[in-house]
Amino acid sequence: MADLYIDGAWTSAREKRTREIRCPADGSLVAEVDEAGGQDTADAIAAARRAFDEGPWPRTPANERGDLVLRVADLLVRDKELLARAESLDTGKRLVESEYDIDDIVNCFRYFGKLVTSESGRVVETGSEGVDSRVVYEPVGVCALITPWNYPLLQTAWKVAPAIAAGNTFILKPSELTPHTAIHLMRLLEEAGLPAGAGNLILGAGPEAGAPLGEHPDVDLVSFTGGLQTGRRLMAAAAGTVKKVALELGGKNPNIVFADADFDTAVDMALTAVFLHSGQVCSAGARLLVEDSLHDRFVDEVVRRAMLIRLGGPFDERAQTGPLISAAHRAKIEAYVAKGLEEGAVLRCGGARPADPPHAEGFYYLPTVLDECTGGMSVVQEESFGPVLTVERFTDEAEAVRLANATIYGLAGGIFTSDEAKAQRVASALRIGTVWINDYHPYVPQAEWGGYKQSGFGRELGPAGLAEYRETKHIWRTTNPSPQGWFD
Ligand code: NAD
């Protein structure tokens, strides 16, 4: 075993510790991988620091960096099936979803590979004679990239592609539960010609392998995607050395359905919004806000269809969604549902593990609808990150907006209505980073992604996604230097 990639070499963890990776769909052993400790992370930081301060990558012209990023995109296409399979075994998600993810990942690399060559800085019109003034972009330095388990390679791509395009060096720390596609990506970066030390991979648990990244003085930037509590911890750790910090945290995303919405579309999308990948999506539409006059008919239909959803493992072609990532995560969701019921929610479907034997070894949980919820309930306020839909009623547009905004989160959400003016008014009033109107979940790499409020700050994707990884320097040159005489 040699699963850590440090300074251009594959290596084992110094303390020779390993972790078993098991498929959440059936508990089968996928592989055993190295488990790094703090000293391995320190080695990776030292390698990335040297590669930034002395190595060729930050000094490579932008067009050549862009070419390498585009070569990686081609290699990802070549290895699509291997990558999709590995992602499905680690996460338990359906193979077809992993295949979509790899397509998105390829698009992400292509987008940043092209963007970096088209944005080389700008000339500033100063209005002064004899001055030549330019703004140029430079890499930030050593970047710590820390990612979660729900979209392992996708979240990694959103960080690695812009980080290397901008000329940084990095240490990647994927979730300890889903390491395999990160290992594969490092092999592709090596094949594409990324110089030694420019990209480093550390596997292992957050507190041991990840925490040093937030504190270490040789790390210049931390880009983190994951839970709110970890984000807060990293932000505090990074304060000691004033690192640049980008946080993509959780969401408790409202999906607002007005009575004038197209009924069939809104029902269909309400299901996709929350039950895709069993709700383990940061932008999951886990809070259904439905206009009072439509409530009964709409919720009846959502419940009827939720009960028909077929659960299954990655390679079950009939499955419509899969298991949860772990037994611990399922226990957390079960606790949220129990608390919601205590607080007065009405269970309309789900609320249990499936009874049929094929699912016995996997971490499955039935699609669940909790009706008659109110804003104060913890199951409405906190991210359960599972297949649990809470339903709240509203009577008018103002109340819909008020309820939608009444959590600490602000990541994403949906609006379903046939009234275009109303849709635009509500979209403006929502304090969230992505609004979908009569749709749910699509995104493109050209548009920024990120949260308001405690869903984080900084942006991934789009031009701002590249800007996260660049310093902006102003160079002012006087073309005819001469004394000014102020102190004569
Ligand atoms: P998590 O916070 O438990 O872990 C995320 C990563 O942080 C993992 O690699 C973990 O090992 C590491 N980590 C944990 N403790 C650490 C520490 N003290 N120092 C450094 N690193 C540490 O999150 P998770 O359970 O893996 O992911 C689910 C969360 O991710 C959900 O809240 C979800 O909403 C969020 N998420 C957000 C987005 C977004 O775009 N906003 C996208 C995907 C997932």
Side-chain angles (χ1 to χ4, degrees), residues 124-146:
V124 178
E125 289 303 333
T126 62
S128 306
E129 287 283 307
V131 168
D132 153 22
S133 161
R134 287 178 306 129
V135 165
V136 297
Y137 301 127
E138 295 181 349
V140 172
V142 173
C143 300
L145 311 178
I146 305 176

Side-chain angles (χ1 to χ4, degrees), residues 209-344:
L213 295 168
E215 291 154 9
H216 202 292
D218 281 343
V219 173
D220 300 296
L221 175 151
V222 178
S223 177
F224 169 76
T225 300
L228 176 58
Q229 299 308 335
T230 317
R232 285 181 179 151
R233 218 169 282 138
L234 272 168
M235 196 173 172
T241 47
V242 195
K243 297 186 198 326
K244 309 243 171 333
V245 179
L247 299 176
E248 299 290 341
L249 308 178
K252 194 70 198 184
N253 310 289
N255 184 20
I256 307 172
V257 179
F258 288 95
D260 60 6
D262 179 281
F263 185 84
D264 291 339
T265 305
V267 168
D268 190 69
M269 292 284 181
L271 295 164
T272 304
V274 66
F275 296 129
L276 178 75
H277 194 15
S278 283
Q280 302 171 116
V281 184
C282 54
S283 50
R287 293 176 63 208
L288 175 65
L289 307 183
V290 60
E291 192 161 350
D292 209 12
S293 58
L294 182 68
H295 171 275
D296 294 359
R297 182 170 158 240
F298 194 82
V299 176
D300 284 352
E301 185 60 5
V302 167
V303 168
R304 187 187 70 77
R305 289 193 46 194
M307 291 170 73
L308 298 175
I309 292 174
R310 291 188 299 274
L311 302 178
F315 311 110
D316 174 350
E317 289 183 359
R318 292 189 64 251
Q320 294 172 306
T321 191
L324 299 169
I325 189 71
S326 66
H329 188 51
R330 181 170 59 182
K332 182 181 129 187
I333 290 160
E334 287 172 334
Y336 269 117
V337 171
K339 185 128 187 257
L341 295 176
E342 264 170 48
E343 290 172 342

Side-chain angles (χ1 to χ4, degrees), residues 147-149 173 175-176 210 224-227 230 248-250 282 383 449:
T147 54
W149 47 260
K173 214 293 289 163
S175 167
E176 58 276 29
F224 169 76
T225 300
T230 317
E248 299 290 341
L249 308 178
C282 54
E383 187 188 46
W449 176 267

